[in-house]
Amino acid sequence: MTVTVHTLHDRISPPTGADSSLQTQEYLINMGPQHPIAHGSLRIILRMDGETIREVIPVPGFVHRGLEKMGENLTSLQFIHLTDRMDYLSALMNNWAVSKAVEKAAGIEVTQRAQYIRTIMAELMRLQSHALWWGVLGMDLGAFTAFLYGFREREVIGKILEETIGARLTMNYIIPGGVMSDLHPDFVRQTKEVLPYMKKMIDEYDVLLSGNVILQERLRNIGILSGKDAIGYGCTGPVLRASGVPWDLRKTEPYGVYDKVDFDVPVGSVGDNWDRYYVRMEEMRQSIRIIEQLIDNIPEGDIQTVKYGGRIKIPAGTYYDHLETARGVLGVTLVGDGTDKPYRIHLRSPNFNNLWVVTKLAVGWRIADIIAIQSTLDLVIPDIDR
Amino acid sequence: MGLLDTKDMKKGSGTVGGVAVSTVTVPRLKRHDTARDVGFSLKELGRGMKLTLGYFARPKTVVTSQYPENRDTLKLAERFRASLKLKYDDKGWHNCTGCGICERICPNNSIILTTRKGEVTGKKELDRYVWRMDSCTFCNSCVVACPFDALEMGPEFENAVYDRRLLIYTLNRYAGPAAKVLAKHEPEQHAAMMEPRDRFGGDTPLNGVAMPKVEPLKKANHNNEGDAS
Amino acid sequence: MNFVHILASAGGPGPKTFKVLTVADRALEAVNTNLWMTALYLLLAVLAVAGLIAFLGMSLIYMERKVAGHFQCRLGPMRVGPHGIFQTVADTVKLLLKEDIIPRDADQLMHLVAPFLSLTATVLVLMIIPYSPTLQIVDLNIGVLFVTAITGFGVLGILLGGWASNNKWSLLGGMRAGAQIISYEISATLAIMVMVLFSGTLSLSGIVQSQEAGWWIWRAPVVGLVGFILFLIASVAEINRTPFDIPEGESELTGGFNTEYSGMRFAFFFLAEFINIFTVAAITVTLFLGGWMPLHIGDFAGFNHAMDIIPPVAWFLGKTFVIIFIIMWLRWTFPRLRVDQLMHLEWKIMLPIGFANLLLGAVLVLFNFYFFP
Amino acid sequence: MAGLTQIEDIRRIEPAAEERPDADRPAVMVPVDRLHGLMQTLRDDQAFAFDMLLDHTAIDWHTDGDIEVIYQLFSTLHGQYVQVSAKVPRDNPVVPTVCDLWPIAQWQEREAYDLMGVLYDNHPDLRRLFLEDDWQGFPLRKDYTDEDMLERSK
């Protein structure tokens, strides 16, 4: 049995439709890897007919760093700091996902205090991530001011995280057995101050962009993704929920202390760009709600149950665990062989699985619409490539 | 209000995977085929313009910080991770015993420890604590892992240099035993136990290849006094 | 005096009467007496326009950056000179020193010519704008026609630049620009036509003088205001600025028609864009806001007298910069439209309104129905 | 309606399936020639209704000379998980594609091909995903070497 392997060159066959002079000719255009829409380095080859997209061929791999190979040669403790560099906007959730898988494999218990801290931090991170996403969406659609407003709010939350964690982007904070450092004495006060501010700012976002008829026309009824397709294409997170499937691991399989809080899962009804947009806006409000319920109830106790310098042995076996990052389900497949280094570690990154639906969504729309579609899919390129 | 009513959220519940989930359905936009809705849209455009003009008119809302000028008032978070330091007590002694846990836990071999046999104590003690900032990711693992609380991360972030070899630091000011051991010995023995080390001295390993000796930047900054920044 | 009356008489006749004397007139007078004077006048005119371009380029780019900065809670340029006022100078020097790259398969000549074409078209308009009664280079009796013709000409540079770059993004940008500018030209011209109807002249200076009794924006009942808004929107679209910047669209077309330009020739496109902002603002002011006419309100003699002290050129520049600020304000607030939505806006919304406005204007002129005689 | 994910239920429709040891969730291992049929049933049978392919990857058991492909399935109807795996020889790792069942498999399989060298039969567009088309070797295999690879000093 032989299996044919193609190359990109085969894939991009010569444009068709050139036989008659009266027919328009399809052409290929290279969007990226240096295109402003690829927030990172993602190459997308478009087969176009005038301004209309006929085919989308994403070519990722420009930021491929072989994280999984590195993971095989590092202990699980060491590997965690690499996960910051996947989806850098939800670095803490990435840390948490790997820690959670390791804890599950090695049977490590986590104290309540650590769980509270993890949950609050993760929600702050989600808030921060969505604030930036909102700004970037504005920039992609031409409203540059929104970009800087989004960054402004990201900075405010970043300051709080920085006080406790000591880093702004690559946090490496959540580790197997707990968290790396205890909360900063000012953390609770600052967080309480920032939550009403964020609420006010999200209302401002609604005034500046959501209420803007130009933006509404750019998003409404464009790139409609049905719930069935979203599931088939492996979409998770806000993309899936915008299509009406309320699958949120925070609800269905509560981890951390999500079972102790009351929040709603925002879902869309149509699955177009607008639903994806507004699901994230509403998620920000729900995140604030979650933090408000937790911030006063952080119990006292230890933050770490295993000695950091020690070896965490992963028993032989295959473990899969996942959680909800700002962009969807991050799954970790961990294959242990009894040593402290995983035999194989595989990361199911949410962006990798959310990307490919663009090959279906963008076809038939204009070149300006693929920008909007990509923005509402909220892709972070290093997470695709890993 | 306009075409979007942000309060128009339908609370409901959905089921996924056999679990009931309380949901909130995000608002859809109203169609704008009536003249009234066009008016609403224009009003919303006006509200957006009012918002940006509001920020324009209030210079207090500017968030830019003028970085090199505000150096004196710039206050970074005390936990900010920008440079690795050995902790020194008021006598100038560090806590490092040269056990090598930090070296082992470092994910990218940024810490290289050499130890020697102490002449006075006859036990293993720190010779050189080499920290390679050029490959460090500031993951904080070494600080957390250190069982003797000998390391800390500092917020001194202005470390840019023209030659990356200058980013290889020797962190210990002296080769010798930790503060605990020094305290057990008589003060007159200390001088014999401690051999000064400077920041850039000696050969430094770089991917297995010996580095040429790097001259210190300035004579005044020769040793580690105030040079950890 | 009720409110309508005040409004109607705003900008009423001042005590001064302005005598229009253009540079071209003076040069022509001097032909019979002293030919050197003619040459001097012409040289002065050229230098003045060149100086104006340089001044406008610098000041508008600086203004854009500062305005954008403060809209976005930033400071804008702060480094070069106090509050960064020499930032534009530094950037010009940088652009001059930059390597001038021509893509290998580009149409060399066209690639070279395009930015100059774009700039020339805008500069020509600067010539006929009445800055003040005595400060105008030439007062063409078909001034309005000239303006519409020349601004339509400007698209040629963009189209050529997009086509000659041999880059698909540039080509898309160029084609978009062509479609967009030709479409919006219609709305702009329709709005101008209303004002021509009201003032009864094609000369820009004549249009300004016809507003001695009141600015057309409120003196022409309703049609003036509608025409003003139509013209403003169409002009913003014509000069490719957000929310109509689809030919450039840096987040979708990576810069559109000027993707392949670098160095000074990019600067020419850039300069042309900013001079364009000034020219459309100046034309808007000339047509609707009384040009260099000071603001007068009814019978408030004291107020009117105080207004007269301010020189006409200051009035003109003040009004122009207010319009420029509005254009910038739009840019830093709104997202960009999609190309088909842009066409929809023009052909299905603005064009019918424009025609209706023109018809209404014609009826009003026919029955001599002004808010102020 | 509760879903069926007990190993016995899968054994009933696919007798060749064995329970995969050491897994933390219901896991079966099937011979590779029965893989596609089982996956088809798991997706289409409403008693299982595994409509989402959460993850797919491969593990290189180089000492055994095998490559194991692992599929993580999730049912949004029943909320059940199952892990299906199959072993193929390392020197000719041909696996039937499942991208006719779940569209996302097309790219997840391409990733597994790119990094592990698993060949997918009937895959419509099998080519490298991250690496260049002319890349030699498959980096995630345990015996992969590259002259630029750096080893940790210990």
Side-chain angles (χ1 to χ4, degrees), chain B:
Chain B
M1 288 291 113
L3 306 180
L4 167 70
D5 188 351
T6 53
K7 300 284 178 293
D8 177 28
M9 303 269 188
K10 283 184 282 299
K11 281 235 183 191
S13 79
T15 315
V16 62
V19 183
V21 176
S22 65
T23 61
V24 48
T25 308
V26 299
R28 290 299 297 175
L29 298 167
K30 296 188 194 100
R31 289 184 57 82
H32 62 276
D33 30 21
T34 65
R36 193 159 150 265
D37 286 343
V38 174
F40 277 143
S41 310
L42 291 177
K43 201 178 134 202
E44 284 292 324
L45 291 182
R47 277 181 69 192
M49 289 183 73
K50 202 176 131 200
L51 180 81
T52 47
L53 188 71
Y55 281 115
F56 179 79
R58 281 175 292 154
K60 264 189 190 165
T61 58
V62 167
V63 292
T64 312
S65 38
Q66 294 273 315
Y67 159 57
E69 286 88 354
N70 70 355
R71 260 209 192 105
D72 301 334
T73 55
L74 187 69
K75 198 179 148 289
L76 276 118
E78 58 204 64
R79 294 184 189 178
F80 192 74
R81 314 202 289 239
S83 58
L84 184 66
K85 293 185 284 194
L86 272 178
K87 279 185 186 169
Y88 289 98
D89 59 14
D90 42 8
K91 292 187 188 116
W93 299 346
H94 59 65
N95 284 336
C96 181
T97 59
C99 68
I101 286 181
C102 47
E103 191 181 10
R104 186 170 55 76
I105 200 105
C106 180
N108 34 35
N109 271 16
S110 296
I111 295 171
I112 297 125
L113 272 178
T114 52
T115 51
R116 64 178 190 183
K117 203 171 164 200
E119 282 168 22
V120 179
T121 54
K123 298 214 175 90
K124 191 173 88 168
E125 61 183 34
L126 181 66
D127 183 15
R128 283 160 58 76
Y129 194 105
V130 179
W131 172 53
R132 295 192 49 187
M133 183 188 254
D134 56 345
S135 67
C136 182
T137 56
F138 304 97
C139 68
N140 210 25
S141 298
C142 45
V143 179
V144 182
C146 182
F148 303 101
D149 194 22
L151 289 164
E152 63 179 348
M153 280 279 185
E156 298 85 7
F157 66 96
E158 291 169 325
N159 298 310
V161 285
Y162 282 105
D163 186 339
R164 83 183 184 111
R165 287 175 297 186
L166 298 178
L167 292 173
I168 300 171
Y169 290 71
T170 301
L171 292 185
N172 54 329
R173 294 178 195 162
Y174 67 91
K180 218 168 32 183
V181 181
L182 283 172
K184 284 186 199 145
H185 286 79
E186 298 302 318
E188 47 269 24
Q189 283 180 297
H190 290 163
M193 293 165 84
M194 293 158 74
E195 187 189 332
R197 288 277 181 267
D198 64 19
R199 185 182 149 188
F200 299 110
D203 294 340
T204 321
L206 176 75
N207 287 340
V209 183
M211 287 274 298
K213 187 173 155 63
V214 179
E215 291 301 316
L217 276 176
K218 270 188 270 168
K219 269 277 180 277
N221 262 355
H222 191 70
N223 51 29
N224 260 346
E225 298 296 332
D227 200 16
S229 61

Side-chain angles (χ1 to χ4, degrees), chain A residues 24-46:
Chain A
T24 53
Q25 193 181 346
E26 288 187 347
Y27 61 97
L28 294 169
I29 196 163
N30 224 340
M31 215 165 95
Q34 309 296 343
H35 194 277
I37 181 63
H39 311 291
S41 287
L42 175 67
R43 180 182 175 198
I44 294 181
I45 300 169
L46 300 174

Side-chain angles (χ1 to χ4, degrees), chain C residues 26-27 30-31 33-44:
Chain C
R26 287 177 213 171
V31 166
T33 53
N34 188 347
L35 219 53
W36 287 110
M37 281 299 283
T38 313
L40 188 67
Y41 275 127
L42 292 179
L43 190 70
L44 267 178

Side-chain angles (χ1 to χ4, degrees), chain A residues 305-321:
Chain A
T305 51
V306 290
K307 180 140 179 46
Y308 190 79
R311 293 173 189 272
I312 297 176
K313 288 204 169 54
I314 301 161
T318 310
Y319 309 92
Y320 175 83
D321 209 346

Side-chain angles (χ1 to χ4, degrees), chain A residues 61-333:
Chain A
F62 289 87
V63 241
H64 179 66
R65 293 148 295 179
L67 241 57
E68 292 170 11
K69 187 79 177 176
M70 281 194 247
E72 291 172 11
N73 297 309
L74 295 172
T75 66
S76 52
L77 282 174
Q78 292 173 335
F79 180 65
I80 283 178
H81 91 290
L82 291 176
T83 60
D84 294 333
R85 286 142 179 93
M86 293 165 54
D87 180 354
Y88 44 80
L89 293 179
S90 35
L92 284 174
M93 282 92 113
N94 297 350
N95 293 170
W96 195 353
V98 177
S99 304
K100 198 170 158 233
V102 172
E103 281 156 13
K104 187 175 175 187
I108 299 170
E109 289 291 315
V110 184
T111 61
Q112 274 297 303
R113 181 174 174 81
Q115 292 286 30
Y116 267 81
I117 295 174
R118 283 176 175 192
T119 312
I120 293 170
M121 287 290 182
E123 287 308 312
L124 280 174
M125 194 90 204
R126 191 185 311 274
L127 204 55
Q128 189 194 37
S129 164
H130 283 346
L132 181 67
W133 156 81
W134 176 84
V136 170
L137 177 127
M139 185 183 68
D140 288 342
L141 300 183
F144 192 75
T145 302
F147 179 62
L148 287 147
Y149 288 179
F151 252 104
R152 186 184 59 192
E153 270 71 78
R154 181 173 192 273
E155 199 70 4
V156 171
I157 299 173
K159 274 242 160 59
I160 300 180
L161 295 177
E162 184 191 345
E163 288 270 308
T164 292
I165 296 169
R168 306 172 73 88
L169 194 69
T170 51
M171 315 261 191
N172 190 29
Y173 180 64
I174 297 177
I175 50 178
V179 292
M180 211 166 215
S181 53
D182 207 347
L183 291 178
H184 192 268
D186 264 357
F187 177 82
V188 174
R189 185 184 59 79
Q190 285 181 341
T191 310
K192 278 185 186 166
E193 273 171 22
V194 102
L195 291 180
Y197 170 77
M198 275 309 287
K199 270 187 198 162
K200 201 175 126 233
M201 286 302 141
I202 295 168
D203 288 344
E204 267 190 13
Y205 293 176
D206 272 340
V207 171
L208 187 65
L209 279 192
S210 315
N212 190 305
V213 70
I214 302 173
L215 183 100
Q216 291 170 353
E217 286 305 303
R218 288 293 301 273
L219 298 182
R220 186 216 308 247
N221 291 342
I222 288 165
I224 296 175
L225 176 65
S226 69
K228 198 167 175 298
D229 278 340
I231 292 170
Y233 275 87
C235 296
T236 46
V239 179
L240 179 66
R241 293 194 282 273
S243 298
V245 184
W247 191 42
D248 190 331
L249 290 175
R250 294 177 292 169
K251 271 281 187 206
T252 54
E253 297 158 43
Y255 53 94
V257 286
Y258 284 115
D259 49 348
K260 292 195 172 67
V261 289
D262 174 35
F263 68 101
D264 298 319
V265 179
V267 291
S269 46
V270 177
D272 59 352
N273 276 349
W274 172 262
D275 275 346
R276 287 192 282 277
Y277 172 82
Y278 216 82
V279 160
R280 287 202 180 84
M281 295 296 281
E282 186 58 24
E283 269 190 13
M284 283 199 258
R285 296 199 171 95
Q286 298 291 346
S287 287
I288 294 175
R289 215 174 128 194
I290 293 172
I291 301 168
E292 273 174 346
Q293 292 171 49
L294 294 176
I295 192 73
D296 284 326
N297 306 321
I298 306 173
E300 293 297 317
D302 287 337
I303 52 161
Q304 176 64 283
T305 51
V306 290
K307 180 140 179 46
Y308 190 79
R311 293 173 189 272
I312 297 176
K313 288 204 169 54
I314 301 161
T318 310
Y319 309 92
Y320 175 83
D321 209 346
H322 53 195
L323 53 71
E324 189 84 23
T325 75
R327 279 159 195 77
V329 172
L330 175 65
V332 181
T333 306

Side-chain angles (χ1 to χ4, degrees), chain A residues 28 35 51 140-141 145 149, chain C residues 71 168 176 251 332 336:
Chain A
L28 294 169
H35 194 277
E51 285 247 355
D140 288 342
L141 300 183
T145 302
Y149 288 179
Chain C
F71 270 128
K168 286 164 190 165
R176 282 179 176 192
S251 61
W332 297 114
R336 181 186 305 127

